[in-house]
Amino acid sequence: MQNVVMWIVPVLCLIALPCKDVVVWSAMILGYGLHGRGYEAIDTFNAMKLAGVKPNDVTFIGLLLACNHSGLVQEGWEYFHRMKDYGIEPRHQHYAIVVDLLGRAGYLNEAYEFISSMPIEPGVTVWGALLSACKIYRNVALGEYAAERVFSLEPFNAGHYVQLANLYASAGMWSHVRKVRILMREKGLSKDLGYSLIEINGKLQAFRVGDKSHPRSREIFEELENLERRLKEAGFVPDTDSVLHDLNNEDKEEILCNHSERLAIAFGLISTPPGRTLRITKNLRACVNCHSATKLISKLVGREIVVRDANRFHHFKDGVCSCKDYW
């Protein structure tokens, strides 16, 4: 029932608008995409066509993002090729989304072939999407090639080096991780620090990894310990591959449970009444471990937890996420 309501309410708002131009329709499609509601985005696109409104390049960015965030590979591929039916030439952003769409689904070779066939020179976002996918599937050789292309285009963007280090870490190649870190130091680059925000009683609270500066820090870490105990009792096994240090598993687990969104969740739990939805914003992409942990936490505490990370919205409830573990 809730899913039906989430789809109908925006549609009713759309119907009530006196002027429903391409901007309004495109915003709706993009909104559904950010929340991983791919089929609703497609339905909205079809309704837009029936209303006689011609889509533009931004419309297709939203539509492709919606397919990407929902794992709708075939649909996304078809919509990309249908852009020409409307006289729209794909831009770099369209190509990057398709590469990400293919790569996240495991079609790495197809993604590379797609890049090789591009009529325009691939940019940073295109190669970056391939590098990110290579990390997921631990394809070191192709990932290194993508990293070389990215470095040649943006040699002083720390995020690209972190992506390569993530790839090496996922493959257990710690000597290569150290080489990347040394290279970053030589270039004077540093990794962006992750932080999470949560609003409680009209006041915005910010947390960083391992942050103990909050006035209620003792209570927050007590709640964290309680959550970790309940997670272990429920059979949760931390995914330590996301830690970029060659440490033992115990040390890795301690680092993971102190990530900024975990601190924000703990603070939200001790600061709001039972059943209240927690809404958190994170500046970086959620790591695999925190994503898995938050799913189970939502079930253990009986709360919905909404996290807006760098890419999209995640709605955690009853042990599952709206992204269906595809993000």
Side-chain angles (χ1 to χ4, degrees):
M1 180 63 184
Q2 183 182 20
N3 289 338
V4 174
V5 172
M6 287 182 67
W7 182 79
I8 289 179
V9 170
V11 172
L12 292 176
C13 293
L14 183 62
I15 293 173
L17 285 173
C19 178
K20 296 179 280 293
D21 58 10
V22 65
V23 175
V24 173
W25 286 102
S26 299
M28 284 287 298
I29 292 169
L30 180 60
Y32 279 127
L34 289 174
H35 288 270
R37 307 186 72 83
Y39 289 112
E40 288 90 335
I42 291 173
D43 288 343
T44 304
F45 178 73
N46 291 332
M48 174 185 179
K49 291 191 299 178
L50 288 174
V53 179
K54 184 180 178 181
N56 59 19
D57 60 333
V58 177
T59 308
F60 277 95
I61 287 175
L63 192 58
L64 291 173
L65 275 174
C67 292
N68 185 23
H69 288 165
S70 303
L72 303 178
V73 179
Q74 186 61 40
E75 291 86 346
W77 183 255
E78 291 176 0
Y79 282 120
F80 173 79
H81 288 284
R82 284 172 59 182
M83 290 176 64
K84 63 179 181 294
D85 296 341
Y86 298 92
I88 301 172
E89 287 294 327
R91 295 189 281 115
H92 271 105
Q93 194 167 356
H94 299 99
Y95 285 109
I97 296 170
V98 173
V99 171
D100 200 40
L101 173 73
L102 294 171
R104 289 184 186 278
Y107 298 109
L108 297 180
N109 292 332
E110 289 81 356
Y112 175 71
E113 291 172 3
F114 178 76
I115 295 172
S116 301
S117 68
M118 285 174 55
I120 59 176
E121 192 67 24
V124 170
T125 53
V126 171
W127 289 115
L130 182 61
L131 175 57
S132 178
C134 288
K135 185 266 178 181
I136 296 172
Y137 293 98
R138 304 182 184 181
N139 189 322
V140 175
L142 185 57
E144 288 179 327
Y145 181 81
E148 289 176 7
R149 305 280 81 75
V150 169
F151 295 158
S152 68
L153 295 168
E154 285 189 355
F156 296 101
N157 187 320
H160 303 322
Y161 295 88
V162 173
Q163 279 276 60
L164 181 59
N166 277 328
L167 170 61
Y168 287 140
S170 69
M173 301 171 64
W174 298 108
S175 62
H176 287 69
V177 173
R178 286 190 285 274
K179 288 179 181 178
V180 174
R181 288 185 174 277
I182 292 172
L183 182 60
M184 290 179 66
R185 283 199 296 270
E186 291 174 349
K187 290 180 175 290
L189 304 176
S190 58
K191 178 182 177 181
D192 290 338
L193 293 177
Y195 64 84
S196 294
L197 306 172
I198 183 170
E199 185 176 343
I200 303 293
N201 297 326
K203 186 176 181 181
L204 204 60
Q205 308 280 342
F207 295 92
R208 294 192 181 276
V209 177
D211 193 350
K212 295 186 177 181
S213 63
H214 196 277
R216 300 183 65 184
S217 178
R218 182 183 60 80
E219 297 172 74
I220 292 170
F221 276 86
E222 286 178 354
E223 182 63 20
L224 267 183
E225 291 179 6
N226 176 51
L227 288 174
E228 288 304 307
R229 176 184 56 78
R230 295 180 66 182
L231 284 170
K232 289 182 178 179
E233 290 175 352
F236 178 73
V237 178
D239 184 336
T240 56
D241 286 345
S242 53
V243 180
L244 290 182
H245 301 280
D246 189 8
L247 306 171
N248 61 51
N249 283 337
E250 185 176 340
D251 290 336
K252 288 182 179 181
E253 289 179 21
E254 183 176 353
I255 291 174
L256 290 169
C257 73
N258 289 335
H259 277 187
S260 63
E261 59 264 53
R262 302 280 278 276
L263 294 172
I265 290 171
F267 177 68
L269 291 175
I270 65 174
S271 304
T272 58
R276 176 75 59 84
T277 297
L278 302 182
R279 303 183 187 277
I280 296 166
T281 300
K282 181 177 172 64
N283 69 320
L284 302 177
R285 181 180 181 273
C287 76
V288 174
N289 183 76
C290 285
H291 188 272
S292 299
T294 305
K295 284 196 300 180
L296 185 51
I297 289 172
S298 71
K299 182 177 182 179
L300 294 174
V301 301
R303 302 243 199 159
E304 181 176 4
I305 303 172
V306 181
V307 178
R308 172 59 160 108
D309 72 1
N311 292 342
R312 57 174 296 163
F313 286 87
H314 298 265
H315 297 259
F316 300 94
K317 188 175 182 180
D318 297 327
V320 297
C321 179
S322 59
C323 76
K324 301 179 179 65
D325 298 337
Y326 193 93
W327 86 101

